[in-house]
Amino acid sequence: MVDLVSQYEKIKSSVLPLFEEIMSKAQFINGPEVTAFQNELQDYLGVKHVIPCANGTDALQISLMALGLKPGDEVITPSFTYIATTEVIALLGLKPVFVEVDPNTFCINTDAVRKAITTKTKAIVPVHLYGQSADMEPLLKIANEYNLFIIEDNAQGIGAEYAFSSGLKQKTGTIGDIGCTSFFPSKNLGCFGDGGALCTNSDDLAVKIRMIANHGQSKKYHHDVVGCNSRLDNLQAGVLRIKLRELDGYIYARQQAASFYNAAFKENEKIEIPFQSEYSSHVFHQYTIKLKDVNRDMLHEFLKDKNIPSMIYYPIPAHRQKMFAHFNLACELPQTDQLTHQVLSLPMHTELEQDQLDYITQEVLKFVN
Ligand SMILES: *Cc1c(COP(=O)(O)O)cnc(C)c1O
């Protein structure tokens, strides 16, 4: 699905001397690379504050803590997402309220959000799934109307740009109150282990987030709120600085691979290629097709036999997970259920070669036709 080894070969000559330097100085925690990366990511995203942390799941958890949500508060989120988005809501004693996604974009359905609002609703967590922005403008309008917070789960969307009807463009993760991202190795901007970050344009939230990520500490040994320990280490920050310079090139390589897939599949009526919304660029964290009148699971097995990896993101939606059974969720999400049977993600990374793309598309078409 990904080829991080070939990608590493291309940046090795910058990474190794940097690691050597960091290790020879034993600057592992809170080193200069962390601050430099934070500033460079702020510039790249066009956001006032970036606060690095240990992983994307922590970023989501810390964002809910920073907004001061209390047990019993309701948080509206799609069920069709990676479990981390929804798990942290329950972890903090909040109630996840699952809604449908738009079956074209795979992102949260705005009308469903509006219908799910109650007096207990405090926040909305849209997910920029597979690398395309959720439709943020109507969500901001709803949030404004009902006084709700928006936390963007930007783990798959880093680098994508959302266009408002005014023509203004903003990078995903910088539009809501807080944006959360992950630097897990396979993400579009991945490090060599775990990493994550939060971003916000609010000075007040930035102070709270920094404090929570550092044991609730306001100054040394003064702990004002209950927090956690969530840091990005200096080695990871160093790699991320090197890879941030390559990010737009990485995104371009993904988009080129996606264009090739699109051209090969677009005439086939059993394959629905990724929908391109008019309001967002697509950074193709995943290249995900929807299959019609094709046994998706048999195609998955067929490709495996041909040495072609493919993945089902996600086979079980959040509202059907045992971990949420105690909420007695009455929700019915037929579109989400249907998507879990239709989607298939094909290999997508920065190092796909023409002959690999040829082989993958030929074999997919062979099965489907
Ligand atoms: C990867 C991912 C996360 C979690 O990030 P980690 O760094 O693995 O904790 C959260 N949400 C989505 C949508 C993701 O893809």
Side-chain angles (χ1 to χ4, degrees), residues 54-60 80-87 126-130 153-157 180-187 193-197 285-286 314:
N55 56 68
T57 310
D58 275 9
L60 289 159
F80 193 67
T81 179
Y82 182 54
I83 197 66
T85 317
T86 59
E87 180 185 31
V127 183
H128 305 308
L129 204 71
Y130 305 151
D153 182 341
N154 196 30
Q156 301 188 3
C180 299
T181 200
S182 162
F183 307 122
F184 185 80
S186 63
K187 300 283 154 90
D194 276 307
H285 175 60
Q286 298 298 340
Y314 294 91

Side-chain angles (χ1 to χ4, degrees), residues 60 63-64 67 123-126 149-153 176-180:
L60 289 159
S63 65
L64 293 164
L67 293 172
I124 311 168
V125 185
F149 297 113
I150 293 186
I151 299 168
E152 299 173 70
D153 182 341
D177 296 280
I178 303 176
C180 299

Side-chain angles (χ1 to χ4, degrees), residues 59-77 85-86 88-97 119-125 146-151 177-178 205 208 212 225-226:
L60 289 159
Q61 181 188 324
I62 293 165
S63 65
L64 293 164
M65 292 167 78
L67 293 172
L69 303 197
K70 298 274 164 350
D73 287 348
E74 294 179 1
V75 179
I76 300 175
T77 185
T85 317
T86 59
V88 293
I89 297 170
L91 181 74
L92 293 173
L94 311 170
K95 185 179 173 195
V97 175
T119 52
K120 290 187 177 161
T121 308
K122 289 288 155 57
I124 311 168
V125 185
Y146 293 92
N147 210 9
L148 309 174
F149 297 113
I150 293 186
I151 299 168
D177 296 280
I178 303 176
L205 281 174
K208 284 187 185 146
I212 291 167
V225 292
V226 173

Side-chain angles (χ1 to χ4, degrees), residues 268-271 294 361-369:
N268 195 295
E269 42 199 55
K270 294 183 187 166
I271 301 175
V294 175
T361 50
Q362 275 160 22
E363 292 303 320
V364 170
L365 290 169
K366 218 185 267 175
F367 181 87
V368 167
N369 286 330

